[in-house]
Amino acid sequence: MTASALRKPAPKPPLLEVSGLSKSYGTQVGCRDISFAVRPGEVLGIVGESGSGKSTLLACLSGRLQPDTGSISYDMKDRGPVDILTLCEPERRRLARTDWGIVHQNPRDGLRLDVSAGGNIGERPMALGARHYGNIRTEAQDWLQKVEIDLARTDDRPRTFSGGMQQRLQIARNLVTRPRLVFMDEPTGGLDVSVQARLLDLLRGLVRELGVAAIIVTHDLAVVRLLADRLMVMQRGRVIEEGLTDQVLDDPHHPYTQLLVSSVLQV
Amino acid sequence: MSAGTTMNHSDNGYNFAYLDEQTKRMIRRSLLKALSIPGYQVPFGGREMPLAYGWGTGGIQVTAAVIGPDDWLKVIDQGADDTTNAVSIRRFFQTVADVAVTESTEVATIIQTRHRIPETPLKEGQVLVYQVPQPEPLQKIEPRETETRKMHAYAEYGAMQVTLYEDVAHFGRIAKTYDYPAIVNGRHLMSPSPIPKFDNPKMENNPAIQLFGAGREKRIYAVPPYTSVRSLDFDDHPFEVQTWKGSCALCGSTTSYLDEMITDDRGSRMFVCSDTDFCNTRQAEAASAPDDKAAGEDA
Amino acid sequence: MAYVAVKGGEQAILNTHKLISESRRGNPDLAELTLAQISEQFALAVDRVMTEGSVYDRELAALALKQAQGDAVEAIFLLRAYRTTLPRIALSEPIDTAKMTIRRRISATFKDIPGGQVLGPTYDYTHRLLDFALAAEGLERPNAELAREPLDGATPRVIDLLDSEGLIEAESDDRAGECFDLTREPMRFPAGRDQRLQNLARGDEGFMLGLAYSTVRGYGGAHPFVGELRVGEIEVEIVPEELGFPIVVAEVTVTECQMINQFRGTAATPPQFTRGYGLAFGHNERKAMAMSLVDRAMRARELGEDVRYPAQDEEFVLSHTDNVEASGMVSHFKLPHYVDFQAELALVRQLRAEHAVTRAEAQMKEVAE
């Protein structure tokens, strides 16, 4: 399942390339001197405990936080690689709602709770100019099926959905415009274990089917084991180990990674 | 809008049209900016007027800034010249500007309105001043001005379309009946003020100057003559206006916006034109043409 | 015709004006209130109207109160509308409250302060017992005795004493003398502190009090100390261009509150206290204190605190403080909305008709099955 990176020995040019990224809050370090690249269709997992800087990093990458130093180069569809920190705000906002997706840990942060499931999925196409109600609805229902939500719930508000359904709806709302890069922040956090497994299965299928690249931040090693091609382990704001997921998990080098792996896998 | 001095000549102690000349100039500058960027809400230093906010302070300031001694002013509320607020505003300008007033849409050079556009088509040279309680069409979706400002700046109107989608999903049709949002000049999303959507098509390509004043929110916006005003809709659920089965009980019009009157405690009702000038004119015409028995026929 | 009665007539409006005049006067057998009586004996009401009406003129404020039958919000509205017609002659120099002629001056942070605690006229230490003696007219009222010696001339602001030690954040003029003018420009967000303070100074006392209260009840995490509250007279100066030096044009009474608040400090700045500021015309401690609490709450963003509660949200607070705007908007729902209501009525009727058809069809189907 994590073999896709191995199957493609000649790597495509990176979709996202981060170098020397740092962000601190006063004396507290958020993340320090982070560099890495994500290629098209590649899934990168970032693991670490809370406070390790992974959420700060994700917020910087997705444009929600301004880093202190560093650059974030993104291969834009029409312009090639651009440092997104130099983009003006409308360009960044447009990128965020067309070519990117952001799946929040709490689906309430990523959904409009007083708008129907269909409307939630339809928002992005409408923002891009879709003006045919029937087509918008059909597309929304296609996506509801993809994320295994009963079509009878199309006009229901997500307020009435279970946590797992809300999370699946959030994923559909993001993927409907076929973004090339999706940021996910603890996508299975706060869900029951059985619900988590189903969601992970679904996510894995969708990511592979659409060939979308993803950056997944989590403290849950099972999530990255299932989804990520490559892995970065963070501690106190720094990347302490990185590599192919299987390599890192099966043969951890850094003592902290060893601790992390042993504490989870032996349970 | 006539040139000529508007300095204080009245004996009531107030400057012509209440506002001082500096304030009028400030408002005129805002109006020019608004006309240059159709549908864009220009912040202006709105003043406190002797009328309560929400009762037409924006419209009054705009009218005060453009009115001259030679103007003919018409004031309507709900389409009618004799509603309390219309009477009050008309009296205000008679007091502070000693200006000629009229109920005739034809004769008026400035028409200040709340909630309606007259049925009689407007002409070049006329100014229609709308009173606007809430200028921000996006406010129901996003209460923060810092955010709505960006949405306008970047033309991010997808969320507005979502509200229409929700209507169709829940009611089978777009359920907005008044204050129906429109795109002006292909660019800015605009609140037409709480006019019924029946009046929206009248804004499109209108020869008159349309000025919108929101006093409490301190915003001015405008639609210049002959500008496109497109009401939001879907290709498969196009914009539609209200229709009535019957006709006006007084003048027989079948094309005007009708108000419902409850005439007794048994629920009897009749429908009459909301535009009193339009209705009165038609009744007078019918009376002066006794041969024409069928008053219900429309021109 | 029946429908004519629905729409208002010009005569009816004129009649309401006469009626209000009559009810304002009340029983004509009783003496009419004079402006001097209102100004002298309802001084605190006059102070509030001047503050929120943004005009320092006791006589005009008393007139507004008389005209409004004592309704403070209506009186404030009258004063504001009148203010629109006043020419702007000059901008005053900033007032220096350290030079205030003190009437009352207290600090909750130090037991003794240079210049001393001056209790002055206040209800704070009274029992709120209805004083039936006041119901009687013409009785002798007690007078306060004159102090044996005058107040210490030097009454430095308590907050300046902390400032000299660096214990409280320094206050700087970030607009280089330029000042936002809320009465001439519309509000802008994000708002500078000058704009916020102007808005709060004009803001409704009741709303501000409620907001301030919320900040100390868990909706804002405030831990305030009254650094100093002072009431007294202060001179207002202008610098006429042709003279080039300041001249005194007025003496006004103001209430000033300097609230001291907690702050953790950051990497760059060591821990120190932060400020909240309140100022009101006349004697109005409730308003000045509430203002200083809300001012501090709204500084959350600039101080790097989470913005989670209503009082910390400047767009929410500043957009809703003004009672002239608020009462106008709320009262406007009394205006006719026939046209919009007719539009909604037609839609609801249509939807109900369709609903009935759909249900009937469903029942037919059920029966058929």
Side-chain angles (χ1 to χ4, degrees):
Chain A
M1 68 199 80
T2 55
S4 65
L6 295 176
R7 262 189 266 117
K8 293 168 197 155
K12 297 180 214 165
L15 185 64
L16 183 81
E17 192 161 18
V18 176
S19 57
L21 194 81
S22 297
K23 170 78 187 172
S24 58
Y25 308 94
T27 45
Q28 259 180 324
V29 174
C31 59
R32 188 177 295 171
D33 198 23
I34 311 280
S35 301
F36 66 90
V38 177
R39 295 178 197 287
E42 185 179 39
V43 178
L44 172 71
I46 303 176
V47 293
E49 302 167 326
S50 52
S52 62
K54 56 190 193 317
S55 293
T56 300
L57 176 61
L58 192 71
C60 288
L61 296 181
S62 57
R64 285 171 291 156
L65 259 185
Q66 183 75 22
D68 302 330
T69 56
S71 69
I72 304 169
S73 169
Y74 181 72
D75 186 9
M76 287 178 73
K77 263 182 184 160
D78 43 353
R79 295 164 57 176
V82 175
D83 185 349
I84 58 157
L85 299 175
T86 66
L87 288 180
C88 63
E89 197 181 6
E91 290 176 315
R92 213 180 310 170
R93 284 165 74 114
R94 190 174 167 78
L95 189 65
R97 63 166 202 269
T98 55
D99 212 23
W100 287 2
I102 298 174
V103 177
H104 298 267
Q105 171 173 8
N106 187 342
R108 283 158 195 273
D109 296 333
L111 291 173
R112 288 187 191 272
L113 291 183
D114 49 358
V115 165
S116 69
N120 263 291
I121 300 177
E123 179 166 351
R124 276 179 166 227
M126 282 187 263
L128 295 179
R131 287 294 178 271
H132 189 283
Y133 174 82
N135 295 350
I136 295 165
R137 191 176 174 79
T138 306
E139 188 176 23
Q141 293 199 322
D142 281 351
W143 275 96
L144 286 175
Q145 273 175 325
K146 281 200 176 92
V147 297
E148 298 166 13
I149 291 176
D150 187 351
L151 292 189
R153 307 299 299 270
T154 308
D155 297 332
D156 292 349
R157 300 195 167 108
R159 211 178 274 296
T160 63
F161 289 8
S162 71
M165 277 169 78
Q166 287 184 351
Q167 198 55 293
R168 279 178 276 140
L169 180 63
Q170 194 193 180
I171 289 163
R173 172 179 158 90
N174 271 284
L175 294 185
V176 62
T177 49
R178 308 244 162 196
R180 291 190 299 154
L181 178 61
V182 178
F183 300 96
M184 300 190 197
D185 188 3
E186 304 277 8
T188 58
L191 298 178
D192 292 343
V193 179
S194 60
V195 180
Q196 280 186 19
R198 184 176 170 202
L199 186 73
L200 281 175
D201 222 37
L202 181 85
L203 262 179
R204 190 175 51 178
L206 285 175
V207 164
R208 293 292 175 257
E209 181 193 326
L210 301 173
V212 55
I215 297 177
I216 302 176
V217 159
T218 180
H219 66 280
D220 186 348
L221 291 183
V223 171
V224 286
R225 169 81 83 181
L226 263 170
L227 289 177
D229 303 312
R230 283 195 309 121
L231 197 58
M232 272 178 15
V233 182
M234 291 186 70
Q235 187 191 25
R236 295 196 204 103
R238 292 180 182 279
V239 175
I240 53 162
E241 184 159 4
E242 61 177 308
L244 295 176
T245 304
D246 291 351
Q247 271 175 9
V248 174
L249 293 184
D250 296 343
D251 181 21
H253 286 203
H254 194 281
Y256 174 74
T257 317
Q258 290 167 356
L259 184 73
L260 208 64
V261 170
S262 63
S263 63
V264 174
L265 295 186
Q266 284 165 14
V267 169
Chain B
M1 289 191 293
S2 69
T5 177
T6 56
M7 291 307 283
N8 58 334
H9 52 71
S10 52
D11 48 8
N12 57 33
Y14 292 106
N15 193 28
F16 179 83
Y18 195 74
L19 295 175
D20 62 280
E21 296 303 307
Q22 274 83 359
T23 300
K24 287 187 200 168
R25 277 198 282 275
M26 176 273 294
I27 294 174
R28 287 176 199 145
R29 279 195 295 272
S30 303
L31 286 169
L32 287 175
K33 185 168 180 182
L35 285 161
S36 315
I37 317 169
Y40 169 72
Q41 298 165 47
V42 183
F44 80 111
R47 301 290 194 257
E48 267 118 352
M49 300 299 283
L51 191 81
Y53 281 118
W55 295 56
T57 52
I60 281 190
Q61 288 181 78
V62 169
T63 299
V66 299
I67 202 166
D70 302 332
D71 272 311
W72 285 86
L73 176 70
K74 170 181 166 78
V75 184
I76 51 172
D77 181 357
Q78 314 295 303
D81 297 89
D82 63 348
T83 32
T84 48
N85 202 43
V87 170
S88 162
I89 291 171
R90 193 164 55 233
R91 284 180 55 84
F92 173 76
F93 280 109
Q94 283 175 291
T95 310
V96 298
D98 194 23
V99 74
V101 296
T102 177
E103 296 195 357
S104 164
T105 303
E106 283 275 334
V107 171
T109 54
I110 299 174
I111 302 169
Q112 179 168 333
T113 179
R114 178 169 173 267
H115 293 196
R116 277 309 311 276
I117 298 175
E119 307 288 1
T120 311
L122 301 176
K123 302 172 300 212
E124 275 185 25
Q126 286 184 307
V127 180
L128 184 59
V129 178
Y130 296 78
Q131 300 171 201
V132 183
Q134 180 43 257
E136 182 48 74
L138 298 168
Q139 199 194 37
K140 288 187 194 79
I141 305 165
E142 174 53 65
R144 271 166 208 290
E145 191 220 311
T146 37
E147 183 61 19
T148 54
R149 221 163 47 196
K150 287 178 185 169
M151 293 165 82
H152 284 296
Y154 312 150
E156 291 179 358
Y157 297 138
M160 191 76 221
Q161 200 74 23
V162 171
T163 64
L164 304 190
Y165 174 97
E166 291 296 284
D167 277 356
V168 181
H170 294 298
F171 303 116
R173 64 168 57 72
I174 297 168
K176 282 197 84 60
T177 56
Y178 62 92
D179 205 349
Y180 192 108
I183 296 277
V184 183
N185 201 30
R187 175 59 180 82
H188 278 95
L189 185 71
M190 183 188 88
S191 155
S193 87
I195 57 172
K197 66 177 180 177
F198 179 88
D199 285 341
N200 269 30
K202 296 179 191 164
M203 293 192 295
E204 163 90 6
N205 228 14
N206 195 307
I209 297 173
Q210 301 177 73
L211 305 176
F212 298 78
R216 191 176 40 80
E217 299 284 346
K218 300 184 177 57
R219 294 290 183 275
I220 280 173
Y221 53 101
V223 177
Y226 304 110
T227 302
S228 106
V229 180
R230 190 178 54 75
S231 304
L232 293 187
D233 63 359
F234 288 108
D235 297 345
D236 47 345
H237 285 271
F239 174 80
E240 286 173 343
V241 299
Q242 289 101 338
T243 53
W244 284 261
K245 283 199 191 89
S247 56
C248 170
L250 301 176
C251 78
S253 171
T254 54
T255 58
S256 69
Y257 191 89
L258 300 180
D259 269 352
E260 183 173 337
M261 307 289 168
I262 298 174
T263 50
D264 59 31
D265 55 3
R266 293 183 308 278
S268 306
R269 51 177 69 94
M270 65 195 259
F271 288 89
V272 298
C273 291
S274 116
D275 184 336
T276 46
D277 171 56
F278 178 78
C279 193
N280 292 340
T281 307
R282 282 176 53 89
Q283 289 177 65
E285 279 167 9
S288 65
D291 294 342
D292 187 4
K293 291 177 291 192
E297 261 176 28
D298 269 298
Chain C
M1 271 178 283
Y3 79 95
V4 174
V6 181
K7 307 209 171 186
E10 197 146 358
Q11 193 53 46
I13 294 177
L14 291 178
N15 287 342
T16 68
H17 297 169
K18 290 180 193 149
L19 265 176
I20 189 76
S21 158
E22 196 180 310
S23 69
R24 176 190 299 128
R25 179 63 182 88
N27 184 350
D29 296 339
L30 298 175
E32 189 169 341
L33 271 176
T34 66
L35 297 192
Q37 283 172 336
I38 296 171
S39 173
E40 290 295 313
Q41 295 173 39
F42 277 171
L44 297 182
V46 167
D47 287 348
R48 179 178 174 195
V49 171
M50 290 196 305
T51 301
E52 294 172 41
S54 304
V55 176
Y56 194 98
D57 188 317
R58 301 200 72 82
E59 201 181 343
L60 282 180
L63 173 60
L65 270 169
K66 180 176 179 180
Q67 188 176 333
Q69 297 175 265
D71 178 344
V73 176
E74 180 70 24
I76 289 160
F77 183 6
L78 287 167
L79 207 52
R80 291 265 195 98
Y82 179 73
R83 188 186 194 283
T84 295
T85 66
L86 298 176
R88 171 156 309 201
I89 298 164
L91 292 174
S92 78
E93 294 294 290
I95 56 170
D96 182 359
T97 50
K99 293 186 187 152
M100 180 185 277
T101 311
I102 299 284
R103 258 207 260 176
R104 167 166 163 80
R105 182 254 196 158
I106 53 161
S107 169
T109 49
F110 298 101
K111 186 164 184 189
D112 206 0
I113 42 179
Q117 307 251 17
V118 182
L119 300 190
T122 173
Y123 288 105
D124 283 358
Y125 326 115
T126 64
H127 294 136
R128 266 60 173 216
L129 300 170
L130 271 180
D131 181 357
F132 293 103
L134 275 177
E137 286 172 44
L139 283 186
E140 193 91 350
R141 311 288 172 201
N143 277 321
E145 282 165 38
L146 220 58
R148 279 186 298 278
E149 49 191 273
L151 282 178
D152 195 334
T155 46
R157 285 177 296 227
V158 171
I159 216 127
D160 294 343
L161 305 175
L162 288 171
D163 198 7
S164 61
E165 242 188 289
L167 282 169
I168 193 156
E169 56 170 337
E171 210 144 45
S172 60
D173 179 1
D174 52 355
R175 302 233 330 194
E178 284 284 300
C179 195
F180 187 90
D181 186 347
L182 192 58
T183 66
R184 301 277 137 157
E185 298 168 59
M187 276 208 285
R188 296 218 173 153
F189 298 111
R193 190 146 176 240
D194 48 355
Q195 183 184 337
R196 285 186 245 148
L197 288 171
Q198 283 173 30
N199 176 289
L200 296 182
R202 285 155 58 99
D204 183 79
E205 183 179 317
F207 181 64
M208 305 261 291
L209 179 66
L211 279 175
Y213 183 40
S214 75
T215 67
V216 294
R217 274 196 78 259
Y219 293 83
H223 303 286
F225 301 93
V226 174
E228 185 178 333
L229 184 78
R230 54 169 67 196
V231 184
E233 280 65 43
I234 190 94
E235 288 176 339
V236 180
E237 298 175 329
I238 61 167
V239 180
E241 251 175 64
E242 57 274 31
L243 290 183
F245 56 84
I247 56 167
V248 173
V249 291
E251 185 186 72
V252 297
T253 306
V254 296
T255 305
E256 181 188 58
C257 177
Q258 298 261 14
M259 197 68 86
I260 300 175
N261 295 271
Q262 80 295 347
F263 185 49
R264 292 193 307 273
T266 63
T269 46
Q272 57 181 178
F273 293 107
T274 55
R275 298 168 187 253
Y277 187 79
L279 186 83
F281 279 153
H283 189 176
N284 195 338
E285 301 178 22
R286 189 186 302 120
K287 172 67 185 280
M289 288 181 68
M291 175 174 168
S292 66
L293 285 165
V294 179
D295 169 46
R296 173 59 184 82
M298 273 198 287
R299 298 182 60 211
R301 197 184 305 276
E302 71 181 81
L303 295 172
E305 300 166 343
D306 286 342
V307 176
R308 275 193 296 185
Y309 303 111
Q312 297 170 323
D313 182 336
E314 65 166 24
E315 277 211 50
F316 175 79
V317 173
L318 298 182
S319 304
H320 301 114
T321 50
D322 195 298
N323 57 27
V324 179
E325 289 175 5
S327 66
M329 187 61 181
V330 170
S331 73
H332 111 282
F333 291 113
K334 287 181 279 188
L335 280 178
H337 284 80
Y338 321 135
V339 165
D340 296 347
F341 185 68
Q342 181 58 217
E344 290 286 89
L345 196 59
L347 178 70
V348 171
R349 281 192 182 129
Q350 191 177 6
L351 291 175
R352 285 174 62 89
E354 284 170 9
H355 182 76
V357 170
T358 325
R359 274 193 55 176
E361 280 172 4
Q363 277 168 355
M364 295 265 281
K365 236 187 223 169
E366 256 175 52
V367 172
E369 282 163 11

